[in-house]
């Protein structure tokens, strides 16, 4: 390896280390979920066994469950932006055996109905204002 390549590799490694320190907040520990530091999930809830095959984007944190309007609603956070997360659900739900129903997408939110594997419901993601890279997520199950 030439000296120029060695110096370039060292510079690249140094830049990556500096970027990691910035992302990790200088503590050496990132949030396990990959969520930005401006969101702090406060609890933990588990999806029901009927949704064991319901795909969720990597880093999703489900923090609470509530019963409302005949639905069990699981809420939390997902790292990312609206369009990629919407595209995740559009491609991954059918692949996991769920059918997509009517949906809607806007600049700051996306949602759709779904059914399959003996259950039905809706998913919704919404931007967290003032916290780029974080979305709220709700999965309603009936």
């Amino acid at each position: 390896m030439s000296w120029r390549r060695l110096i370039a590799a060292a510079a690249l490694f140094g830049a990556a280390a500096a970027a990691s320190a910035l992302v990790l907040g200088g503590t050496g520990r990132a949030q396990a979920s990959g969520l930005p530091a401006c969101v702090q999930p406060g609890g933990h809830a588990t999806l029901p066994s009927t949704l064991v095959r319901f795909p969720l984007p990597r880093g999703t944190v489900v923090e609470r469950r509530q019963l409302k309007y005949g639905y069990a609603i699981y809420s939390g956070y997902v790292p990312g932006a609206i369009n990629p997360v919407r595209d995740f659900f559009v491609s991954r739900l059918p692949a996991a055996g769920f059918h997509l129903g009517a949906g809607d997408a806007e600049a700051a939110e996306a949602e759709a109905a779904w059914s399959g594997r003996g259950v039905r419901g809706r998913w919704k993601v919404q931007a967290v204002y003032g916290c780029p890279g974080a979305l709220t997520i709700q999965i309603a199950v009936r």
Side-chain angles (χ1 to χ4, degrees):
M1 182 180 259
S2 73
W3 282 104
R4 284 186 181 204
R5 285 189 180 186
L6 186 60
I7 291 171
L12 184 60
F13 178 77
S20 294
L22 183 62
V23 168
L24 298 174
T27 65
R29 292 184 302 158
Q31 288 182 262
S33 64
L35 289 166
C38 48
V39 238
Q40 298 292 321
H44 179 73
T46 305
L47 292 179
S49 61
T50 55
L51 293 183
V52 71
R53 299 210 38 198
F54 192 89
L56 293 173
R58 175 180 233 124
T60 298
V61 174
V62 179
E63 68 173 349
R64 67 187 164 278
R65 175 186 179 264
Q66 66 181 17
L67 299 175
K68 194 172 189 179
Y69 309 117
Y71 286 90
I73 302 172
Y74 298 86
S75 304
Y77 296 99
V78 60
I82 293 291
N83 290 339
V85 172
R86 178 205 60 218
D87 294 346
F88 173 91
F89 283 118
V90 168
S91 67
R92 298 286 302 274
L93 282 174
F98 296 93
H99 304 282
L100 287 172
D104 180 40
E106 297 161 11
E109 73 175 37
E111 62 184 310
W114 55 267
S115 63
R117 302 189 174 276
V119 291
R120 62 188 172 103
R122 296 190 64 78
W123 63 263
K124 179 178 182 177
V125 291
Q126 189 169 6
V128 176
Y129 293 102
C131 188
L135 307 171
T136 60
I137 186 169
Q138 291 182 331
I139 302 162
V141 182
R142 187 175 290 219

